[in-house]
mmCIF file of all heavy atoms in Angstrom:
data_model
loop_
_atom_site.group_PDB
_atom_site.id
_atom_site.type_symbol
_atom_site.label_atom_id
_atom_site.label_comp_id
_atom_site.label_asym_id
_atom_site.label_seq_id
_atom_site.Cartn_x
_atom_site.Cartn_y
_atom_site.Cartn_z
ATOM 1 N N MET S 144 -9.557 3.290 18.487
ATOM 2 C CA MET S 144 -8.758 2.237 17.885
ATOM 3 C C MET S 144 -7.343 2.327 18.450
ATOM 4 O O MET S 144 -6.744 3.384 18.472
ATOM 5 C CB MET S 144 -8.743 2.421 16.361
ATOM 6 C CG MET S 144 -7.900 1.400 15.631
ATOM 7 S SD MET S 144 -7.893 1.618 13.838
ATOM 8 C CE MET S 144 -9.354 0.744 13.388
ATOM 9 N N SER S 145 -6.829 1.214 18.919
ATOM 10 C CA SER S 145 -5.484 1.203 19.478
ATOM 11 C C SER S 145 -4.447 1.279 18.362
ATOM 12 O O SER S 145 -4.739 0.995 17.195
ATOM 13 C CB SER S 145 -5.265 -0.061 20.303
ATOM 14 O OG SER S 145 -5.200 -1.183 19.443
ATOM 15 N N VAL S 146 -3.232 1.636 18.726
ATOM 16 C CA VAL S 146 -2.153 1.759 17.752
ATOM 17 C C VAL S 146 -1.874 0.409 17.098
ATOM 18 O O VAL S 146 -1.671 0.333 15.878
ATOM 19 C CB VAL S 146 -0.871 2.326 18.415
ATOM 20 C CG1 VAL S 146 0.293 2.322 17.434
ATOM 21 C CG2 VAL S 146 -1.120 3.730 18.929
ATOM 22 N N SER S 147 -1.892 -0.649 17.877
ATOM 23 C CA SER S 147 -1.592 -1.965 17.301
ATOM 24 C C SER S 147 -2.657 -2.411 16.302
ATOM 25 O O SER S 147 -2.337 -2.980 15.255
ATOM 26 C CB SER S 147 -1.423 -3.014 18.398
ATOM 27 O OG SER S 147 -2.606 -3.161 19.131
ATOM 28 N N SER S 148 -3.917 -2.131 16.581
ATOM 29 C CA SER S 148 -4.963 -2.505 15.625
ATOM 30 C C SER S 148 -4.909 -1.617 14.386
ATOM 31 O O SER S 148 -5.138 -2.085 13.264
ATOM 32 C CB SER S 148 -6.348 -2.461 16.264
ATOM 33 O OG SER S 148 -6.661 -1.169 16.690
ATOM 34 N N TYR S 149 -4.570 -0.347 14.573
ATOM 35 C CA TYR S 149 -4.410 0.561 13.444
ATOM 36 C C TYR S 149 -3.240 0.107 12.572
ATOM 37 O O TYR S 149 -3.334 0.094 11.341
ATOM 38 C CB TYR S 149 -4.186 1.989 13.947
ATOM 39 C CG TYR S 149 -4.021 3.012 12.856
ATOM 40 C CD1 TYR S 149 -5.036 3.270 11.946
ATOM 41 C CD2 TYR S 149 -2.838 3.735 12.737
ATOM 42 C CE1 TYR S 149 -4.890 4.213 10.946
ATOM 43 C CE2 TYR S 149 -2.681 4.677 11.739
ATOM 44 C CZ TYR S 149 -3.711 4.912 10.852
ATOM 45 O OH TYR S 149 -3.555 5.842 9.856
ATOM 46 N N LEU S 150 -2.150 -0.301 13.213
ATOM 47 C CA LEU S 150 -0.982 -0.802 12.503
ATOM 48 C C LEU S 150 -1.321 -2.069 11.726
ATOM 49 O O LEU S 150 -0.916 -2.225 10.569
ATOM 50 C CB LEU S 150 0.139 -1.075 13.510
ATOM 51 C CG LEU S 150 1.549 -1.237 12.999
ATOM 52 C CD1 LEU S 150 1.977 -0.076 12.129
ATOM 53 C CD2 LEU S 150 2.499 -1.397 14.157
ATOM 54 N N SER S 151 -2.087 -2.942 12.301
ATOM 55 C CA SER S 151 -2.519 -4.165 11.616
ATOM 56 C C SER S 151 -3.367 -3.837 10.391
ATOM 57 O O SER S 151 -3.217 -4.456 9.337
ATOM 58 C CB SER S 151 -3.332 -5.048 12.560
ATOM 59 O OG SER S 151 -2.541 -5.507 13.605
ATOM 60 N N GLU S 152 -4.240 -2.855 10.534
ATOM 61 C CA GLU S 152 -5.081 -2.438 9.412
ATOM 62 C C GLU S 152 -4.226 -1.842 8.290
ATOM 63 O O GLU S 152 -4.452 -2.116 7.112
ATOM 64 C CB GLU S 152 -6.116 -1.412 9.885
ATOM 65 C CG GLU S 152 -7.045 -0.918 8.818
ATOM 66 C CD GLU S 152 -7.979 -1.983 8.271
ATOM 67 O OE1 GLU S 152 -8.160 -3.027 8.911
ATOM 68 O OE2 GLU S 152 -8.527 -1.766 7.180
ATOM 69 N N LEU S 153 -3.230 -1.040 8.647
ATOM 70 C CA LEU S 153 -2.325 -0.472 7.638
ATOM 71 C C LEU S 153 -1.558 -1.575 6.910
ATOM 72 O O LEU S 153 -1.400 -1.521 5.687
ATOM 73 C CB LEU S 153 -1.337 0.503 8.283
ATOM 74 C CG LEU S 153 -1.898 1.820 8.789
ATOM 75 C CD1 LEU S 153 -0.789 2.628 9.463
ATOM 76 C CD2 LEU S 153 -2.531 2.628 7.676
ATOM 77 N N LYS S 154 -1.105 -2.564 7.647
ATOM 78 C CA LYS S 154 -0.369 -3.678 7.036
ATOM 79 C C LYS S 154 -1.275 -4.465 6.088
ATOM 80 O O LYS S 154 -0.839 -4.884 5.011
ATOM 81 C CB LYS S 154 0.205 -4.597 8.106
ATOM 82 C CG LYS S 154 1.368 -3.981 8.844
ATOM 83 C CD LYS S 154 1.902 -4.907 9.923
ATOM 84 C CE LYS S 154 3.048 -4.265 10.674
ATOM 85 N NZ LYS S 154 3.583 -5.125 11.738
ATOM 86 N N ARG S 155 -2.525 -4.644 6.471
ATOM 87 C CA ARG S 155 -3.472 -5.348 5.615
ATOM 88 C C ARG S 155 -3.705 -4.565 4.320
ATOM 89 O O ARG S 155 -3.698 -5.130 3.217
ATOM 90 C CB ARG S 155 -4.803 -5.548 6.345
ATOM 91 C CG ARG S 155 -5.796 -6.413 5.579
ATOM 92 C CD ARG S 155 -7.195 -6.338 6.150
ATOM 93 N NE ARG S 155 -7.782 -5.014 6.122
ATOM 94 C CZ ARG S 155 -8.231 -4.398 5.013
ATOM 95 N NH1 ARG S 155 -8.142 -4.977 3.850
ATOM 96 N NH2 ARG S 155 -8.759 -3.193 5.095
ATOM 97 N N LYS S 156 -3.872 -3.255 4.443
ATOM 98 C CA LYS S 156 -4.070 -2.419 3.267
ATOM 99 C C LYS S 156 -2.832 -2.432 2.366
ATOM 100 O O LYS S 156 -2.943 -2.453 1.143
ATOM 101 C CB LYS S 156 -4.395 -0.978 3.679
ATOM 102 C CG LYS S 156 -5.778 -0.811 4.244
ATOM 103 C CD LYS S 156 -6.027 0.632 4.636
ATOM 104 C CE LYS S 156 -7.406 0.801 5.232
ATOM 105 N NZ LYS S 156 -7.658 2.199 5.619
ATOM 106 N N HIS S 157 -1.645 -2.423 2.978
ATOM 107 C CA HIS S 157 -0.391 -2.450 2.220
ATOM 108 C C HIS S 157 -0.288 -3.755 1.431
ATOM 109 O O HIS S 157 0.081 -3.745 0.243
ATOM 110 C CB HIS S 157 0.804 -2.292 3.174
ATOM 111 C CG HIS S 157 2.128 -2.217 2.489
ATOM 112 N ND1 HIS S 157 2.892 -3.333 2.268
ATOM 113 C CD2 HIS S 157 2.802 -1.176 1.964
ATOM 114 C CE1 HIS S 157 3.989 -2.975 1.642
ATOM 115 N NE2 HIS S 157 3.964 -1.669 1.442
ATOM 116 N N GLU S 158 -0.621 -4.860 2.061
ATOM 117 C CA GLU S 158 -0.576 -6.160 1.379
ATOM 118 C C GLU S 158 -1.585 -6.207 0.231
ATOM 119 O O GLU S 158 -1.283 -6.715 -0.854
ATOM 120 C CB GLU S 158 -0.861 -7.286 2.376
ATOM 121 C CG GLU S 158 -0.787 -8.667 1.779
ATOM 122 C CD GLU S 158 0.570 -9.028 1.217
ATOM 123 O OE1 GLU S 158 1.586 -8.569 1.759
ATOM 124 O OE2 GLU S 158 0.608 -9.772 0.216
ATOM 125 N N SER S 159 -2.750 -5.650 0.458
ATOM 126 C CA SER S 159 -3.764 -5.605 -0.576
ATOM 127 C C SER S 159 -3.289 -4.782 -1.776
ATOM 128 O O SER S 159 -3.466 -5.177 -2.931
ATOM 129 C CB SER S 159 -5.056 -5.013 -0.008
ATOM 130 O OG SER S 159 -6.009 -4.860 -1.010
ATOM 131 N N LEU S 160 -2.665 -3.649 -1.505
ATOM 132 C CA LEU S 160 -2.130 -2.819 -2.588
ATOM 133 C C LEU S 160 -0.995 -3.533 -3.311
ATOM 134 O O LEU S 160 -0.855 -3.392 -4.530
ATOM 135 C CB LEU S 160 -1.640 -1.479 -2.046
ATOM 136 C CG LEU S 160 -2.684 -0.388 -1.941
ATOM 137 C CD1 LEU S 160 -2.100 0.853 -1.264
ATOM 138 C CD2 LEU S 160 -3.242 -0.017 -3.286
ATOM 139 N N SER S 161 -0.192 -4.290 -2.588
ATOM 140 C CA SER S 161 0.885 -5.056 -3.221
ATOM 141 C C SER S 161 0.311 -6.010 -4.263
ATOM 142 O O SER S 161 0.827 -6.094 -5.384
ATOM 143 C CB SER S 161 1.675 -5.859 -2.184
ATOM 144 O OG SER S 161 2.434 -5.024 -1.370
ATOM 145 N N CYS S 162 -0.736 -6.698 -3.898
ATOM 146 C CA CYS S 162 -1.389 -7.621 -4.835
ATOM 147 C C CYS S 162 -1.963 -6.869 -6.026
ATOM 148 O O CYS S 162 -1.842 -7.311 -7.168
ATOM 149 C CB CYS S 162 -2.490 -8.405 -4.126
ATOM 150 S SG CYS S 162 -1.877 -9.551 -2.889
ATOM 151 N N GLU S 163 -2.575 -5.739 -5.751
ATOM 152 C CA GLU S 163 -3.177 -4.941 -6.820
ATOM 153 C C GLU S 163 -2.112 -4.424 -7.791
ATOM 154 O O GLU S 163 -2.309 -4.436 -9.009
ATOM 155 C CB GLU S 163 -3.956 -3.772 -6.210
ATOM 156 C CG GLU S 163 -4.937 -3.147 -7.144
ATOM 157 C CD GLU S 163 -5.823 -2.107 -6.467
ATOM 158 O OE1 GLU S 163 -5.970 -2.130 -5.229
ATOM 159 O OE2 GLU S 163 -6.374 -1.272 -7.204
ATOM 160 N N VAL S 164 -0.964 -3.998 -7.255
ATOM 161 C CA VAL S 164 0.138 -3.525 -8.103
ATOM 162 C C VAL S 164 0.663 -4.663 -8.972
ATOM 163 O O VAL S 164 0.888 -4.489 -10.169
ATOM 164 C CB VAL S 164 1.276 -2.914 -7.244
ATOM 165 C CG1 VAL S 164 2.547 -2.727 -8.063
ATOM 166 C CG2 VAL S 164 0.838 -1.590 -6.642
ATOM 167 N N GLU S 165 0.846 -5.836 -8.375
ATOM 168 C CA GLU S 165 1.338 -6.987 -9.138
ATOM 169 C C GLU S 165 0.384 -7.339 -10.280
ATOM 170 O O GLU S 165 0.815 -7.593 -11.404
ATOM 171 C CB GLU S 165 1.524 -8.192 -8.224
ATOM 172 C CG GLU S 165 2.711 -8.084 -7.309
ATOM 173 C CD GLU S 165 2.814 -9.249 -6.354
ATOM 174 O OE1 GLU S 165 2.253 -10.336 -6.640
ATOM 175 O OE2 GLU S 165 3.461 -9.091 -5.304
ATOM 176 N N GLN S 166 -0.895 -7.348 -10.003
ATOM 177 C CA GLN S 166 -1.890 -7.649 -11.038
ATOM 178 C C GLN S 166 -1.877 -6.586 -12.136
ATOM 179 O O GLN S 166 -1.962 -6.901 -13.322
ATOM 180 C CB GLN S 166 -3.287 -7.758 -10.435
ATOM 181 C CG GLN S 166 -3.484 -8.981 -9.596
ATOM 182 C CD GLN S 166 -4.847 -8.994 -8.915
ATOM 183 O OE1 GLN S 166 -5.565 -7.996 -8.914
ATOM 184 N NE2 GLN S 166 -5.190 -10.122 -8.319
ATOM 185 N N ALA S 167 -1.744 -5.336 -11.731
ATOM 186 C CA ALA S 167 -1.743 -4.242 -12.699
ATOM 187 C C ALA S 167 -0.515 -4.310 -13.609
ATOM 188 O O ALA S 167 -0.606 -4.015 -14.798
ATOM 189 C CB ALA S 167 -1.795 -2.903 -11.965
ATOM 190 N N GLN S 168 0.610 -4.718 -13.044
ATOM 191 C CA GLN S 168 1.826 -4.807 -13.838
ATOM 192 C C GLN S 168 1.737 -5.921 -14.881
ATOM 193 O O GLN S 168 2.361 -5.829 -15.928
ATOM 194 C CB GLN S 168 3.042 -5.027 -12.937
ATOM 195 C CG GLN S 168 3.409 -3.796 -12.149
ATOM 196 C CD GLN S 168 4.533 -4.032 -11.153
ATOM 197 O OE1 GLN S 168 4.671 -5.121 -10.602
ATOM 198 N NE2 GLN S 168 5.323 -3.012 -10.919
ATOM 199 N N ARG S 169 0.973 -6.944 -14.592
ATOM 200 C CA ARG S 169 0.819 -8.062 -15.528
ATOM 201 C C ARG S 169 -0.255 -7.804 -16.577
ATOM 202 O O ARG S 169 -0.289 -8.475 -17.608
ATOM 203 C CB ARG S 169 0.472 -9.344 -14.764
ATOM 204 C CG ARG S 169 1.646 -9.908 -14.012
ATOM 205 C CD ARG S 169 1.319 -11.299 -13.480
ATOM 206 N NE ARG S 169 1.693 -11.323 -12.077
ATOM 207 C CZ ARG S 169 0.878 -11.576 -11.065
ATOM 208 N NH1 ARG S 169 -0.380 -11.878 -11.282
ATOM 209 N NH2 ARG S 169 1.305 -11.574 -9.834
ATOM 210 N N ALA S 170 -1.139 -6.864 -16.322
ATOM 211 C CA ALA S 170 -2.252 -6.606 -17.227
ATOM 212 C C ALA S 170 -1.774 -5.865 -18.474
ATOM 213 O O ALA S 170 -1.083 -4.844 -18.374
ATOM 214 C CB ALA S 170 -3.314 -5.774 -16.518
ATOM 215 N N PRO S 171 -2.133 -6.391 -19.635
ATOM 216 C CA PRO S 171 -1.761 -5.686 -20.877
ATOM 217 C C PRO S 171 -2.555 -4.385 -21.007
ATOM 218 O O PRO S 171 -3.731 -4.323 -20.661
ATOM 219 C CB PRO S 171 -2.151 -6.676 -21.978
ATOM 220 C CG PRO S 171 -3.168 -7.553 -21.362
ATOM 221 C CD PRO S 171 -2.883 -7.603 -19.886
ATOM 222 N N GLY S 172 -1.871 -3.355 -21.442
ATOM 223 C CA GLY S 172 -2.537 -2.076 -21.648
ATOM 224 C C GLY S 172 -2.906 -1.348 -20.373
ATOM 225 O O GLY S 172 -3.808 -0.514 -20.370
ATOM 226 N N MET S 173 -2.229 -1.652 -19.288
ATOM 227 C CA MET S 173 -2.518 -1.013 -18.005
ATOM 228 C C MET S 173 -2.152 0.468 -18.068
ATOM 229 O O MET S 173 -1.113 0.828 -18.609
ATOM 230 C CB MET S 173 -1.714 -1.706 -16.892
ATOM 231 C CG MET S 173 -1.894 -1.119 -15.538
ATOM 232 S SD MET S 173 -3.620 -1.218 -15.068
ATOM 233 C CE MET S 173 -3.632 -0.228 -13.633
ATOM 234 N N ASP S 174 -3.006 1.308 -17.540
ATOM 235 C CA ASP S 174 -2.765 2.740 -17.486
ATOM 236 C C ASP S 174 -1.583 3.024 -16.559
ATOM 237 O O ASP S 174 -1.622 2.707 -15.362
ATOM 238 C CB ASP S 174 -4.022 3.448 -16.989
ATOM 239 C CG ASP S 174 -3.875 4.953 -16.910
ATOM 240 O OD1 ASP S 174 -2.983 5.502 -17.575
ATOM 241 O OD2 ASP S 174 -4.670 5.568 -16.184
ATOM 242 N N ALA S 175 -0.539 3.615 -17.102
ATOM 243 C CA ALA S 175 0.681 3.882 -16.330
ATOM 244 C C ALA S 175 0.412 4.834 -15.169
ATOM 245 O O ALA S 175 1.007 4.676 -14.092
ATOM 246 C CB ALA S 175 1.766 4.446 -17.238
ATOM 247 N N LEU S 176 -0.462 5.800 -15.364
ATOM 248 C CA LEU S 176 -0.763 6.753 -14.286
ATOM 249 C C LEU S 176 -1.456 6.065 -13.118
ATOM 250 O O LEU S 176 -1.196 6.381 -11.955
ATOM 251 C CB LEU S 176 -1.623 7.898 -14.804
ATOM 252 C CG LEU S 176 -0.929 8.869 -15.758
ATOM 253 C CD1 LEU S 176 -1.926 9.909 -16.255
ATOM 254 C CD2 LEU S 176 0.245 9.536 -15.091
ATOM 255 N N HIS S 177 -2.317 5.117 -13.419
ATOM 256 C CA HIS S 177 -2.999 4.368 -12.360
ATOM 257 C C HIS S 177 -1.979 3.535 -11.578
ATOM 258 O O HIS S 177 -2.038 3.473 -10.348
ATOM 259 C CB HIS S 177 -4.081 3.473 -12.960
ATOM 260 C CG HIS S 177 -4.830 2.686 -11.943
ATOM 261 N ND1 HIS S 177 -5.655 3.276 -11.007
ATOM 262 C CD2 HIS S 177 -4.868 1.355 -11.690
ATOM 263 C CE1 HIS S 177 -6.170 2.337 -10.226
ATOM 264 N NE2 HIS S 177 -5.714 1.167 -10.623
ATOM 265 N N LEU S 178 -1.044 2.932 -12.279
ATOM 266 C CA LEU S 178 -0.008 2.126 -11.632
ATOM 267 C C LEU S 178 0.856 2.993 -10.719
ATOM 268 O O LEU S 178 1.160 2.611 -9.581
ATOM 269 C CB LEU S 178 0.845 1.425 -12.690
ATOM 270 C CG LEU S 178 1.881 0.444 -12.186
ATOM 271 C CD1 LEU S 178 1.250 -0.668 -11.357
ATOM 272 C CD2 LEU S 178 2.660 -0.148 -13.353
ATOM 273 N N VAL S 179 1.229 4.167 -11.183
ATOM 274 C CA VAL S 179 2.024 5.087 -10.372
ATOM 275 C C VAL S 179 1.240 5.499 -9.129
ATOM 276 O O VAL S 179 1.796 5.557 -8.018
ATOM 277 C CB VAL S 179 2.445 6.326 -11.193
ATOM 278 C CG1 VAL S 179 3.020 7.417 -10.309
ATOM 279 C CG2 VAL S 179 3.448 5.925 -12.261
ATOM 280 N N SER S 180 -0.037 5.748 -9.293
ATOM 281 C CA SER S 180 -0.891 6.120 -8.167
ATOM 282 C C SER S 180 -0.943 5.003 -7.114
ATOM 283 O O SER S 180 -0.839 5.269 -5.912
ATOM 284 C CB SER S 180 -2.288 6.437 -8.670
ATOM 285 O OG SER S 180 -3.162 6.668 -7.601
ATOM 286 N N LEU S 181 -1.095 3.769 -7.568
ATOM 287 C CA LEU S 181 -1.114 2.627 -6.653
ATOM 288 C C LEU S 181 0.200 2.523 -5.888
ATOM 289 O O LEU S 181 0.215 2.299 -4.672
ATOM 290 C CB LEU S 181 -1.364 1.328 -7.415
ATOM 291 C CG LEU S 181 -2.744 1.107 -8.007
ATOM 292 C CD1 LEU S 181 -2.753 -0.149 -8.870
ATOM 293 C CD2 LEU S 181 -3.787 1.010 -6.910
ATOM 294 N N LYS S 182 1.301 2.686 -6.605
ATOM 295 C CA LYS S 182 2.620 2.580 -5.970
ATOM 296 C C LYS S 182 2.845 3.687 -4.947
ATOM 297 O O LYS S 182 3.429 3.453 -3.883
ATOM 298 C CB LYS S 182 3.722 2.605 -7.027
ATOM 299 C CG LYS S 182 3.795 1.326 -7.821
ATOM 300 C CD LYS S 182 4.928 1.376 -8.837
ATOM 301 C CE LYS S 182 5.094 0.066 -9.563
ATOM 302 N NZ LYS S 182 6.229 0.093 -10.496
ATOM 303 N N LYS S 183 2.365 4.887 -5.237
ATOM 304 C CA LYS S 183 2.500 5.998 -4.289
ATOM 305 C C LYS S 183 1.691 5.733 -3.023
ATOM 306 O O LYS S 183 2.165 5.988 -1.912
ATOM 307 C CB LYS S 183 2.059 7.310 -4.925
ATOM 308 C CG LYS S 183 3.075 7.881 -5.871
ATOM 309 C CD LYS S 183 2.610 9.213 -6.432
ATOM 310 C CE LYS S 183 3.623 9.778 -7.384
ATOM 311 N NZ LYS S 183 3.211 11.081 -7.933
ATOM 312 N N ARG S 184 0.463 5.225 -3.205
ATOM 313 C CA ARG S 184 -0.369 4.886 -2.039
ATOM 314 C C ARG S 184 0.304 3.813 -1.196
ATOM 315 O O ARG S 184 0.310 3.885 0.045
ATOM 316 C CB ARG S 184 -1.746 4.422 -2.488
ATOM 317 C CG ARG S 184 -2.619 5.556 -2.977
ATOM 318 C CD ARG S 184 -3.937 5.136 -3.563
ATOM 319 N NE ARG S 184 -4.601 4.058 -2.871
ATOM 320 C CZ ARG S 184 -5.454 3.213 -3.446
ATOM 321 N NH1 ARG S 184 -5.756 3.341 -4.728
ATOM 322 N NH2 ARG S 184 -6.017 2.264 -2.765
ATOM 323 N N LYS S 185 0.878 2.819 -1.868
ATOM 324 C CA LYS S 185 1.565 1.740 -1.167
ATOM 325 C C LYS S 185 2.767 2.285 -0.384
ATOM 326 O O LYS S 185 2.981 1.915 0.773
ATOM 327 C CB LYS S 185 2.015 0.688 -2.184
ATOM 328 C CG LYS S 185 2.667 -0.517 -1.583
ATOM 329 C CD LYS S 185 3.064 -1.500 -2.666
ATOM 330 C CE LYS S 185 4.027 -2.501 -2.093
ATOM 331 N NZ LYS S 185 4.700 -3.284 -3.102
ATOM 332 N N LEU S 186 3.527 3.178 -0.999
ATOM 333 C CA LEU S 186 4.686 3.769 -0.326
ATOM 334 C C LEU S 186 4.270 4.585 0.890
ATOM 335 O O LEU S 186 4.896 4.509 1.949
ATOM 336 C CB LEU S 186 5.474 4.631 -1.306
ATOM 337 C CG LEU S 186 6.715 5.320 -0.742
ATOM 338 C CD1 LEU S 186 7.716 4.299 -0.205
ATOM 339 C CD2 LEU S 186 7.359 6.185 -1.804
ATOM 340 N N LYS S 187 3.193 5.361 0.759
ATOM 341 C CA LYS S 187 2.713 6.153 1.902
ATOM 342 C C LYS S 187 2.308 5.254 3.065
ATOM 343 O O LYS S 187 2.584 5.560 4.227
ATOM 344 C CB LYS S 187 1.553 7.051 1.486
ATOM 345 C CG LYS S 187 1.966 8.239 0.655
ATOM 346 C CD LYS S 187 0.769 9.113 0.333
ATOM 347 C CE LYS S 187 1.144 10.217 -0.614
ATOM 348 N NZ LYS S 187 1.724 11.354 0.033
ATOM 349 N N LEU S 188 1.656 4.135 2.751
ATOM 350 C CA LEU S 188 1.287 3.184 3.802
ATOM 351 C C LEU S 188 2.537 2.610 4.467
ATOM 352 O O LEU S 188 2.605 2.501 5.690
ATOM 353 C CB LEU S 188 0.431 2.058 3.238
ATOM 354 C CG LEU S 188 -1.019 2.400 2.932
ATOM 355 C CD1 LEU S 188 -1.681 1.244 2.207
ATOM 356 C CD2 LEU S 188 -1.772 2.730 4.204
ATOM 357 N N LYS S 189 3.524 2.262 3.657
ATOM 358 C CA LYS S 189 4.759 1.696 4.196
ATOM 359 C C LYS S 189 5.444 2.696 5.121
ATOM 360 O O LYS S 189 5.913 2.330 6.207
ATOM 361 C CB LYS S 189 5.694 1.313 3.056
ATOM 362 C CG LYS S 189 6.994 0.708 3.519
ATOM 363 C CD LYS S 189 7.887 0.343 2.357
ATOM 364 C CE LYS S 189 9.207 -0.201 2.866
ATOM 365 N NZ LYS S 189 10.139 -0.461 1.771
ATOM 366 N N GLU S 190 5.506 3.951 4.706
ATOM 367 C CA GLU S 190 6.118 4.986 5.537
ATOM 368 C C GLU S 190 5.364 5.162 6.852
ATOM 369 O O GLU S 190 5.968 5.323 7.910
ATOM 370 C CB GLU S 190 6.187 6.302 4.775
ATOM 371 C CG GLU S 190 7.188 6.283 3.643
ATOM 372 C CD GLU S 190 7.106 7.503 2.739
ATOM 373 O OE1 GLU S 190 6.099 8.254 2.810
ATOM 374 O OE2 GLU S 190 8.038 7.681 1.944
ATOM 375 N N GLU S 191 4.045 5.131 6.800
ATOM 376 C CA GLU S 191 3.234 5.268 8.011
ATOM 377 C C GLU S 191 3.441 4.068 8.940
ATOM 378 O O GLU S 191 3.551 4.223 10.156
ATOM 379 C CB GLU S 191 1.754 5.412 7.634
ATOM 380 C CG GLU S 191 0.828 5.598 8.803
ATOM 381 C CD GLU S 191 0.937 6.957 9.469
ATOM 382 O OE1 GLU S 191 1.683 7.820 8.998
ATOM 383 O OE2 GLU S 191 0.265 7.139 10.499
ATOM 384 N N ILE S 192 3.523 2.881 8.365
ATOM 385 C CA ILE S 192 3.780 1.669 9.166
ATOM 386 C C ILE S 192 5.129 1.780 9.857
ATOM 387 O O ILE S 192 5.242 1.494 11.056
ATOM 388 C CB ILE S 192 3.715 0.403 8.268
ATOM 389 C CG1 ILE S 192 2.278 0.154 7.824
ATOM 390 C CG2 ILE S 192 4.288 -0.809 9.000
ATOM 391 C CD1 ILE S 192 2.147 -0.866 6.706
ATOM 392 N N GLU S 193 6.145 2.195 9.120
ATOM 393 C CA GLU S 193 7.478 2.328 9.704
ATOM 394 C C GLU S 193 7.499 3.392 10.808
ATOM 395 O O GLU S 193 8.126 3.218 11.841
ATOM 396 C CB GLU S 193 8.494 2.671 8.621
ATOM 397 C CG GLU S 193 8.789 1.496 7.705
ATOM 398 C CD GLU S 193 9.723 1.849 6.564
ATOM 399 O OE1 GLU S 193 10.126 3.031 6.432
ATOM 400 O OE2 GLU S 193 10.046 0.938 5.789
ATOM 401 N N ARG S 194 6.796 4.495 10.565
ATOM 402 C CA ARG S 194 6.760 5.580 11.556
ATOM 403 C C ARG S 194 6.112 5.104 12.859
ATOM 404 O O ARG S 194 6.596 5.382 13.947
ATOM 405 C CB ARG S 194 5.992 6.770 10.989
ATOM 406 C CG ARG S 194 6.006 8.000 11.890
ATOM 407 C CD ARG S 194 5.189 9.124 11.291
ATOM 408 N NE ARG S 194 3.764 8.865 11.300
ATOM 409 C CZ ARG S 194 2.971 8.990 12.367
ATOM 410 N NH1 ARG S 194 3.480 9.329 13.536
ATOM 411 N NH2 ARG S 194 1.677 8.754 12.286
ATOM 412 N N LEU S 195 5.047 4.358 12.743
ATOM 413 C CA LEU S 195 4.334 3.881 13.931
ATOM 414 C C LEU S 195 5.050 2.718 14.620
ATOM 415 O O LEU S 195 4.845 2.493 15.812
ATOM 416 C CB LEU S 195 2.915 3.460 13.564
ATOM 417 C CG LEU S 195 1.990 4.584 13.146
ATOM 418 C CD1 LEU S 195 0.670 4.025 12.635
ATOM 419 C CD2 LEU S 195 1.750 5.541 14.294
ATOM 420 N N SER S 196 5.861 2.001 13.872
ATOM 421 C CA SER S 196 6.563 0.856 14.446
ATOM 422 C C SER S 196 7.756 1.253 15.293
ATOM 423 O O SER S 196 8.227 0.470 16.110
ATOM 424 C CB SER S 196 7.039 -0.088 13.336
ATOM 425 O OG SER S 196 5.929 -0.652 12.668
ATOM 426 N N ASN S 197 8.247 2.451 15.092
ATOM 427 C CA ASN S 197 9.440 2.907 15.841
ATOM 428 C C ASN S 197 9.096 3.590 17.115
ATOM 429 O O ASN S 197 8.158 3.976 17.518
ATOM 430 C CB ASN S 197 10.308 3.822 14.962
ATOM 431 C CG ASN S 197 10.895 3.043 13.808
ATOM 432 O OD1 ASN S 197 11.142 1.871 13.906
ATOM 433 N ND2 ASN S 197 11.103 3.734 12.720
#
């Protein structure tokens, strides 16, 4: 897998997690630990995208 295709896949996953986080924040009674976990995964993806983009 080339770096550009890997980067595209990471961006797709990041966008998907963004949607999932937004939905979780709107859901009543959402488990706070699950939300924190989603946000951490999203941040790790963002950091990896930035690292590969430079």
Side-chain angles (χ1 to χ4, degrees):
M144 178 180 275
S145 70
V146 174
S147 62
S148 62
Y149 180 62
L150 196 53
S151 295
E152 180 66 18
L153 290 177
K154 288 179 181 179
R155 187 193 61 73
K156 287 180 181 180
H157 184 268
E158 182 61 33
S159 175
L160 273 175
S161 290
C162 293
E163 198 173 339
V164 166
E165 287 176 22
Q166 289 175 349
Q168 288 175 328
R169 287 190 229 121
M173 178 60 190
D174 181 21
L176 290 177
H177 181 67
L178 186 58
V179 168
S180 174
L181 290 173
K182 287 182 175 183
K183 283 182 180 181
R184 286 174 40 207
K185 183 180 165 194
L186 180 60
K187 286 182 186 277
L188 284 172
K189 180 180 177 185
E190 290 171 346
E191 182 72 4
I192 290 167
E193 288 176 357
R194 185 182 70 78
L195 292 173
S196 295
N197 294 330

